[in-house]
């Protein structure tokens, strides 16, 4: 094998609950600090202890960090999945196993190199407490990897110091375990492996952050004061982070007052109710949830749409339907959110692709919700929300001022003869609103029942229709204010690839490979619904377009067909919905049969569905 | 235009409250409920109570779920913002609204279907959070708006208009409130304004969640023989647990305070609630006694304030929010700014 610097993938197979997460995180963070582009994907089970869990690390000097699907090194620490894990190693690759026990014969492949380190044995000899032995086995494994992959020892020492510096016992144990692993592998195997790391400077001032943390920061910076939620994977850590940041930034140090109120609701019906109640009163309020929560929220989402109350809903999508696979990723809530609730409803959706966009678009969600007095969905997913991403540094402009939409003050109300709630002004489809408690003149009766433009109850067809038609115009008007698509054109491209959200990295990589193989394609990543003009123009400008997304039914494609003039025949689905994040290889393999020039790639994972 | 508007004629002899407002200033649109509906009497009592309390009309927020009862916020205090929400969902909406602005006076109106079936969970949790609001259940033992189905408060043996007998035991909101630790639990009767108005005033003055179950006969679906929530049945079985007379703060110095034998509770706003003619063994601060009193009177509709506790922190106190409304915080106080973001990101490297 030729030596490869800063371009490889490894996979660590572990047992859930055995403490592998912190060791995996340590390696990922150390690589990031070495200035090398890296990604870490946690493929974990819906379980507290015992089921298999994997962690994939891909290192790529050119910045391609979507999933690789074939692995140069497998760290096989879980006997339950050993057979499957062995298969995933690329031919000529390596497998690290715990040689405290003999390697099972039928698991041996002659095209794979084996590295046995007696990890359990070493830890049993060197640590006395049983829990410590288990935990330190993970750290000893990290020690082995430091040598095999040439991870900067100073960087690791620094990280250990930062993490455990204040806990003397733990600090010492960690250092000892690292040493045990490193010393053993150095003495017994040629280190480093042909593929390994070298410090570079590709990360600049980038940060390592997960999408849920970034969303939470966005909510803090947007000025949200009321948050209501019901715990659900994979959104829980967003509210945890919001709480943490609020405690840090929103607590009056002297008075001890908290300039926020977080309500753990009794269910998601209540959570969205609380958000709507708070928004009605003029607060910036949000909830974070996942698909099952959106299902429950449907009733009041329709209310907020019809009664024109702002609300921000963060949906960290996971695999459905029903409970589905709660710890796996999908983009399966697009249609549900676009048309949530009974009757004619249409909502604003934003689709961030990475944590940096999570931050920006979280702020944008509040602006749009208040400007258009309507629910706004921020659709992220488990992959974006819970995995650490190397992402551009978050930027904040201190001149930002929240767009509160048209809200009439007591003085505004004084200046007009009479206030009617649903009378639009200045050619916009949005009608100014008033807040409770401000002025008797601004009072009105908020209702989910039929109402006319004055805000009065109605069952008269024309009056009802007038309001409904304005709501439709309002949704269309929003197209001019939502973030537009990201488009990248290539010379000679006749075909386009459209995608959304967290598919971004994998699809971009595929598009680059396609271009190298002589099949240039144009790229468009949709960032919001309603679709603005460039979306339609992109489709019109191509012979046909692939639509790459992570769900079974091609929900983005359906939405494009329903909401643009694009003919159905022009949109071809590439669908990956098994629950693991997308890889460029999925995309290439789906395109290959239709394009002679495109080469397929062998993978152990199921291919994409192509319709 | 709003559905039906009352002619704005103010009777010259109408007395004015501390704000100089007459009772007319607390009225709303004309009711569209059935003539003689108990809910309309409760509306009148709410109007009276808010007027007596001199609550600025535009500082009231009135919320409800869905049902005949939940329509009534349209019929009182037109100067206040109203929120006719979805069936059973008023408690969370009121909770969120209160979270955003603690300075308004929250009046929630619900029905027995709204509160004891579809919204039962929400009601329980609003009590647990001790949201500062007056929560009225206009209890007619029936689903009025959907035309006469049994509700969860229908008594066993009670017959529907179609003649069917209810076989499931009822949920009593008073017992529920007592067992869940609600901080203000009362029951009254829509036909007894003399008792209802002071109870509502006490509920308004209470710091925390004040639940008032008001028996409110439905003339259309629940006022026939065989119903246990009819006017006839209720009048015959009515029993006053406590005689309440609420004296608001400013007028309280008048030497009308009860002589002896009663329990006085100082409300959060300093006003005093005076109980008279309490039964010897009845203590409004003793939750257990309330249970046993109700147990001892199983066949009567016991009315009055069963329990009140002003010492329990309400939602904002448990959450240490500022004394003023969260909505009034300037944005500059909420956004940590670019420099903080810069610094924070060192932790993400
Ligand atoms: C989700 C939902 N389910 C059902 C209904 C139909 N519905 C409207 S009012 C009502 C019952 C109301 O009963 P109650 O709360 O006791 O009010 P009342 O009319 O008796 O005052 C029902 C079932 C609804 N509006 N929403
Ligand atoms: S149906 Fe019953 S509850 Fe409804 S308005 Fe008529 S009398 Fe009142
Ligand atoms: Mg009822």
């Amino acid at each position: 094998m030729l030596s490869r610097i800063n371009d490889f993938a490894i996979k660590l197979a572990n047992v859930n609950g055995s403490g592998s997460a912190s060791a995996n995180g340590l390696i990922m963070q150390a690589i990031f600090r070495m200035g090398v582009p890296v990604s870490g994907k946690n493929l974990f089970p819906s379980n507290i202890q015992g089921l298999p869990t994997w962690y994939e690390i891909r290192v790529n000097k050119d910045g391609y960090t979507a999933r690789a699907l074939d692995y140069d090194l497998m760290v096989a620490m879980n006997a339950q999945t050993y057979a499957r894990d062995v298969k995933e190693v690329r031919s000529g690759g390596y497998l690290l196993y715990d040689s405290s026990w003999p390697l099972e014969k039928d698991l041996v492949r002659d095209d794979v190199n084996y590295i046995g380190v007696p990890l359990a044995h070493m830890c049993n000899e060197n640590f006395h407490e049983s829990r410590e032995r288990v935990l330190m086995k993970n750290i000893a494994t990290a020690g082995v990897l430091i040598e095999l992959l040439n991870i900067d020892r100073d960087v690791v020492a620094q990280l250990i110091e930062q993490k455990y510096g204040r806990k003397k016992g733990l600090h010492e144990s960690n250092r000892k375990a690292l040493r045990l692993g490193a010393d053993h592998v150095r003495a017994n195997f040629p280190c480093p492996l042909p593929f390994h790391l070298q410090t570079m400077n590709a990360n600049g001032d980038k940060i390592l952050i997960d999408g849920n943390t970034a969303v939470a920061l966005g909510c803090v910076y947007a000025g949200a004061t009321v948050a209501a939620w019901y715990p659900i994977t994979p959104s829980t850590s967003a509210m945890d982070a919001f709480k943490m940041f609020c405690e840090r930034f929103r607590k009056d140090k002297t008075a001890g007052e908290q300039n926020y109120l977080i309500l753990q609701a009794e269910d998601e019906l209540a959570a969205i109710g609380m958000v709507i109640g708070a928004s009605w009163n003029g607060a910036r309020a949000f909830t974070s949830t996942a698909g099952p929560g959106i299902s429950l929220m449907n009733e009041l989402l329709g209310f907020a749409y019809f009664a024109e109350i702002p609300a921000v809903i963060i949906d960290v999508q996971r695999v459905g339907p029903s409970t589905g696979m709660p710890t796996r990723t999908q983009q399966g809530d697009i249609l549900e959110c676009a048309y949530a609730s009974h009757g004619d409803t249409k909502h604003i959706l934003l689709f961030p692709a990475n944590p940096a966009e999570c931050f920006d678009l979280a702020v944008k969600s509040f602006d749009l919700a208040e400007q258009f007095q309507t629910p706004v969905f921020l659709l992220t997913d488990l992959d974006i929300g819970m995995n650490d991403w190397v992402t551009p540094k978050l930027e904040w402009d201190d001149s930002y001022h929240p767009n509160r939409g048209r809200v009439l003050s007591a003085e505004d109300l004084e200046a007009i003869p009479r206030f009617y709630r649903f009378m639009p002004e200045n050619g916009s489809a949005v009608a100014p609103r008033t807040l409770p408690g401000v002025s008797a003149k601004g009072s009105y009766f908020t209702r989910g029942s039929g109402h006319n433009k004055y805000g009065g109850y109605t069952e008269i067809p024309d009056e009802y229709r007038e309001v409904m038609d304005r709501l439709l115009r309002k949704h269309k008007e929003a197209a001019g204010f939502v973030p537009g698509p990201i488009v990248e054109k290539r010379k000679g491209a006749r075909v386009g690839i459209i995608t959304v959200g967290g598919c971004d990295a994998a699809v971009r990589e595929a598009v680059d490979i396609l271009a190298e193989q002589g099949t240039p394609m144009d790229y468009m990543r949709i960032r919001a619904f309603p679709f603005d003009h460039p979306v339609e123009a992109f489709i019109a400008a191509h012979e046909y377009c692939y639509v790459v997304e992570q769900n079974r039914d091609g929900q983005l494609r359906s939405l494009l067909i329903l909401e643009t003039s694009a003919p159905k025949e022009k949109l071809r689905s590439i669908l990956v919905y098994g629950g693991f994040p997308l890889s460029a290889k999925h995309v290439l393999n789906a395109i290959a049969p239709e394009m002679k020039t495109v080469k397929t790639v062998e993978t152990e994972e199921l291919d994409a569905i192509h319709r | 235009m709003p559905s039906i508007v009352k002619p704005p004629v103010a009777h010259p002899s109408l007395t004015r409250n501390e704000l100089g407002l007459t009772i007319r200033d607390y009225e709303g649109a004309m009711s569209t409920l059935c003539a003689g509906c108990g809910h309309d009497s409760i509306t009148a009592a709410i109007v009276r109570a808010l007027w007596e309390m001199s609550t600025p009309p535009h500082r009231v927020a009135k919320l409800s779920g869905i049902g005949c009862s939940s329509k009534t916020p349209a019929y009182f205090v037109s100067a206040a913002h109203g929120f006719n929400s979805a069936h059973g969902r008023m408690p969370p909406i009121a909770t969120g609204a209160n979270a955003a602005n603690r300075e308004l006076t929250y009046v929630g109106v619900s029905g027995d279907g709204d509160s004891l079936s579809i919204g039962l969970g929400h009601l329980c949790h609003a009590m647990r959070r001790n949201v500062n609001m007056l929560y009225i259940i206009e209890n007619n033992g029936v689903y009025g708006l959907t035309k006469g189905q049994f509700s969860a408060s229908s008594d066993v043996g009670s017959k529907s208009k179609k003649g069917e007998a209810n076989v499931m035991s009822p949920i009593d909101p008073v017992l529920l409130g007592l067992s869940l630790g609600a901080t203000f639990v009362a029951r009254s009767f829509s036909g007894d304004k003399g008792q209802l108005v002071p109870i509502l005033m006490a509920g308004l003055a209470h710091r925390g969640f004040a639940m008032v179950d008001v028996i409110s006969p439905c003339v259309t679906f629940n006022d026939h023989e065989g119903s246990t929530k009819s006017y006839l049945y209720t009048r015959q079985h009515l029993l006053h647990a406590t005689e309440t007379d609420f004296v608001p703060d400013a007028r309280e110095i008048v030497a009308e305070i009860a002589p002896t034998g009663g329990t006085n509770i100082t409300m959060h706003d300093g006003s005093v609630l005076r109980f008279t003619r309490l039964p010897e063994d009845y203590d409004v601060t003793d939750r257990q006694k309330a249970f046993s009193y109700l147990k001892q009177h199983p066949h009567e509709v016991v009315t009055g304030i069963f329990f009140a506790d002003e010492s329990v922190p309400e939602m904002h106190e448990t959450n240490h929010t500022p004394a003023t409304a969260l909505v009034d915080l300037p944005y500059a106080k909420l956004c940590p700014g670019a420099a903080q973001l810069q610094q924070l990101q060192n932790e993400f490297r």
Side-chain angles (χ1 to χ4, degrees), chain A residues 425-447:
Chain A
E425 63 169 17
N426 304 336
S428 163
V430 183
R433 64 175 184 141
T434 57
L435 300 180
V438 172
S439 156
K441 205 169 171 186
S443 72
Y444 69 97
F445 201 60
T446 302
R447 45 163 64 90

Side-chain angles (χ1 to χ4, degrees), chain A residues 102-142:
Chain A
L103 180 66
E104 280 179 51
K105 281 265 165 9
D106 18 325
L107 300 179
V108 177
R109 259 173 64 180
D110 15 336
D111 60 342
V112 169
N113 306 294
Y114 288 81
I115 303 169
V117 179
L119 292 155
H121 187 77
M122 285 184 332
C123 289
N124 288 350
E125 276 195 340
N126 286 278
F127 300 101
H128 303 296
E129 208 226 317
S130 66
R131 176 148 177 82
E132 195 179 27
R133 285 172 171 171
V134 176
L135 288 176
M136 287 309 135
K137 200 183 123 177
N138 296 300
I139 303 296
T141 310

Side-chain angles (χ1 to χ4, degrees), chain A residues 221 248 250 258 281 437 443, chain B residues 59 78 97 320 331 334 347:
Chain A
Y221 274 72
R248 190 144 149 193
R250 290 278 191 80
Q258 304 185 356
N281 248 343
S443 72
Chain B
R59 302 293 286 171
S78 318
H320 311 287
Y331 175 68
L334 301 174
E347 292 163 31

Side-chain angles (χ1 to χ4, degrees), chain A residues 299, chain B residues 39 66-69 87 111-114 118 140 142-146:
Chain A
E299 179 191 41
Chain B
H39 298 348
I66 292 288
C68 297
S69 36
H87 198 19
D112 43 326
D114 205 58
I118 195 164
N140 53 12
V142 74
Y143 286 8
L145 195 60
T146 49

